[in-house]
Amino acid sequence: MIVFLLVLGSSLNSFAQTKTNNYDIVLAGFTIGSMQADRTISPKAEDYQLHSKVEFWFFGKIHVEFLQNVNFQNGQLIKATTKSDSNRGNFVTTVNWNKDHYDVNANSYKFHNEESIKQAIFSTPAKLYFHEPKHGDELISENFGMLTKVIELEKGVYEIDVNGNTNTFYYEGGVLQKVVLENNLKNYSIKRRVD
């Protein structure tokens, strides 16, 4: 019986495997928060979750908690949900595949978008935390529900434009090391933590 349970347990584990990467969020040289990125793979689905918490002082205390869940089936984006809770308000964005298009309901600080996307998409920024992209790859921004294309600046360095802000991804040996995110207030970085 014990052998059967051990075999059953190991076979269940083979159906869904999760990989976790941890990052520090850095602003002006100071660590202001952390982010955990998870990728769970099962036979037909690939799920990504980004969860971050940030606190810093900028003419008052700023607090932001960010949770993003992204689901791919047979390689295609099926559903993305982004929740952002902050002292500027609480916001939710959803992107859902509906037969031949994506229904978009994007809400963030001073931003709203309900324009549907009439094509299948196979990547998002969340996926870039685990996969090095290629020049010309097309992505949907989970937070804004907008299309963007990957531009390769040099080997291992890629750029995407998200609602007018540039995000730059740096890879070494196919592994993401750092993301520099352009922001209206001040640029900040997400740096891989090696434990």
Side-chain angles (χ1 to χ4, degrees):
M1 182 64 177
I2 292 172
V3 172
F4 171 74
L5 290 174
L6 288 172
V7 169
L8 178 65
S10 65
S11 66
L12 289 175
N13 286 342
S14 68
F15 284 109
Q17 296 180 338
T18 300
K19 178 174 174 48
T20 298
N21 293 333
N22 291 299
Y23 302 87
D24 290 321
I25 300 173
V26 179
L27 176 70
F30 296 97
T31 300
I32 59 167
S34 62
M35 186 178 88
Q36 180 175 312
D38 295 311
R39 177 187 65 178
T40 302
I41 298 176
S42 56
K44 287 188 178 176
E46 216 173 320
D47 292 288
Y48 295 84
Q49 183 180 84
L50 303 182
H51 184 207
S52 64
K53 290 183 181 179
V54 166
E55 280 192 0
F56 63 98
W57 189 267
F58 187 80
F59 301 108
K61 191 175 185 181
I62 306 258
H63 167 83
V64 181
E65 183 168 1
F66 179 86
L67 180 64
Q68 194 165 74
N69 288 292
V70 186
N71 171 255
F72 292 84
Q73 291 178 21
N74 298 316
Q76 183 189 330
L77 173 66
I78 299 300
K79 181 178 182 179
T81 304
T82 302
K83 295 180 181 176
S84 179
D85 297 333
S86 72
N87 48 359
R88 289 181 165 186
N90 300 329
F91 306 97
V92 177
T93 292
T94 57
V95 177
N96 294 310
W97 179 249
N98 183 2
K99 296 178 185 173
D100 62 355
H101 68 279
Y102 292 97
D103 291 324
V104 173
N105 187 358
N107 299 283
S108 60
Y109 183 64
K110 294 185 177 178
F111 179 85
H112 183 73
N113 173 31
E114 288 187 17
E115 193 172 324
S116 63
I117 296 171
K118 297 173 175 62
Q119 66 184 83
I121 295 293
F122 300 89
S123 192
T124 69
K127 204 171 188 178
L128 301 186
Y129 286 85
F130 294 91
H131 299 280
E132 183 172 351
K134 293 191 286 296
H135 180 80
D137 283 355
E138 198 160 28
L139 288 67
I140 290 179
S141 160
E142 305 95 338
N143 201 24
F144 296 100
M146 300 167 76
L147 292 175
T148 184
K149 279 197 176 174
V150 174
I151 298 168
E152 184 174 9
L153 300 178
E154 58 185 87
K155 183 174 170 51
V157 182
Y158 306 86
E159 185 178 276
I160 60 173
D161 180 283
V162 179
N163 194 32
N165 292 319
T166 300
N167 296 347
T168 310
F169 293 75
Y170 296 82
Y171 295 81
E172 285 178 18
V175 178
L176 181 68
Q177 301 298 319
K178 179 176 72 171
V179 186
V180 176
L181 298 106
E182 196 174 62
N183 188 280
N184 296 338
L185 299 175
K186 189 163 182 64
N187 294 357
Y188 62 98
S189 300
I190 297 172
K191 295 184 176 178
R192 184 167 181 258
R193 192 188 306 153
V194 182
D195 298 322

